[in-house]
Amino acid sequence: TGRRRRQWFHRLLSGQRPVAPPPPIRLPGLTDAEAEAHRLEGQDNVIHLTPPRTRREIWRENVYTIFNLNLVGLALVQLLLSRPLDALLSLGPICLNIGLQVAREVGAQHRLLEIEQTTQARATVIRDEKARSIEPSEIVLGDVLVAGPGDLLFVDGEVLGEGEIVLDESRLTGQSRHITRRAGDKVYAGSLCVSGRAAY
């Protein structure tokens, strides 16, 4: 178009080298049948996460505390002294404390689960020679994935084809520098694609 030509001439006159668009990715990838076979063999990317603590553990750790046991002991002494009203008043803070702690922790787990489900990124995979968007858990061994600017790499792999990508691997190495990866280079899950486009 005319606008692209003007931009190209402007870059040429200003001494900037025109940036060529990334080459199209033409890789077959797996077929749906092959991907299903890999999944049935357990060669998938499903991560089975368990909560830090189960409901039973939350209740147990909030009930059996030194503070609660001291108040229970005080209530027993008050019952032995025939002061049931005082014993009931001593047990009140226990119930209130346990209820608040359990409700706060269970609520926090629910919120974290909701945030994880709403913000989960999707992966672009080539299946049957067509690019499609899938859940990261649907990735199987042998899949060809495509990464572009802003995409997170979900699995370890190797760059394929003619494209190249610039990755931010600070989550893995702790270093804030960007690294360019080309065909044959290894890439690792947790890296973030800063620029470029390539299959891996």
Side-chain angles (χ1 to χ4, degrees):
T1 62
R3 183 178 180 183
R4 290 182 179 177
R5 289 177 181 174
R6 287 194 298 271
Q7 291 176 345
W8 190 87
F9 280 116
H10 176 71
R11 290 173 180 168
L12 187 63
L13 293 175
S14 61
Q16 296 180 2
R17 183 181 177 184
V19 179
I25 296 175
R26 296 188 179 92
L27 296 169
L30 298 177
T31 64
D32 286 333
E34 291 171 337
E36 181 64 16
H38 284 295
R39 188 188 66 78
L40 293 175
E41 292 175 3
Q43 300 173 344
D44 52 27
N45 194 43
V46 177
I47 301 175
H48 301 283
L49 297 176
T50 57
R53 294 195 295 176
T54 63
R55 292 282 183 91
R56 181 176 295 180
E57 291 172 339
I58 292 173
W59 277 101
R60 184 174 62 246
E61 293 185 15
N62 282 285
V63 170
Y64 299 111
T65 65
I66 295 177
F67 175 75
N68 292 344
L69 293 177
N70 286 336
L71 287 180
V72 169
L74 177 61
L76 290 175
V77 171
Q78 290 170 335
L79 284 174
L80 293 175
L81 295 174
S82 300
R83 302 179 65 178
L85 184 59
D86 292 342
L88 186 62
L89 291 175
S90 298
L91 293 175
I94 296 178
C95 298
L96 181 63
N97 181 54
I98 293 173
L100 290 175
Q101 293 291 339
V102 171
R104 185 178 65 178
E105 190 160 350
V106 172
Q109 285 188 356
H110 282 300
R111 286 193 295 273
L112 288 175
L113 182 60
E114 290 175 359
I115 292 172
E116 181 181 352
Q117 291 176 345
T118 56
T119 60
Q120 187 177 27
R122 295 178 65 86
T124 302
V125 65
I126 298 178
R127 295 265 177 90
D128 291 323
E129 301 184 7
K130 295 180 181 179
R132 65 177 68 171
S133 179
I134 63 171
E135 297 288 341
S137 60
E138 297 176 14
I139 300 171
V140 298
L141 183 67
D143 262 331
V144 176
L145 302 167
V146 179
D151 289 341
L152 186 68
L153 273 62
F154 297 102
V155 293
D156 297 345
E158 181 179 311
V159 178
L160 305 173
E162 302 176 0
E164 65 177 43
I165 49 177
V166 179
L167 299 177
D168 179 359
E169 298 181 348
S170 58
R171 295 184 181 183
L172 308 176
T173 63
Q175 300 177 356
S176 58
R177 61 192 183 92
H178 296 164
I179 300 174
T180 301
R181 300 293 186 189
R182 299 178 179 85
D185 293 339
K186 299 291 185 181
V187 293
Y188 302 98
S191 303
L192 179 67
C193 179
V194 179
S195 64
R197 185 170 179 266
Y200 68 99

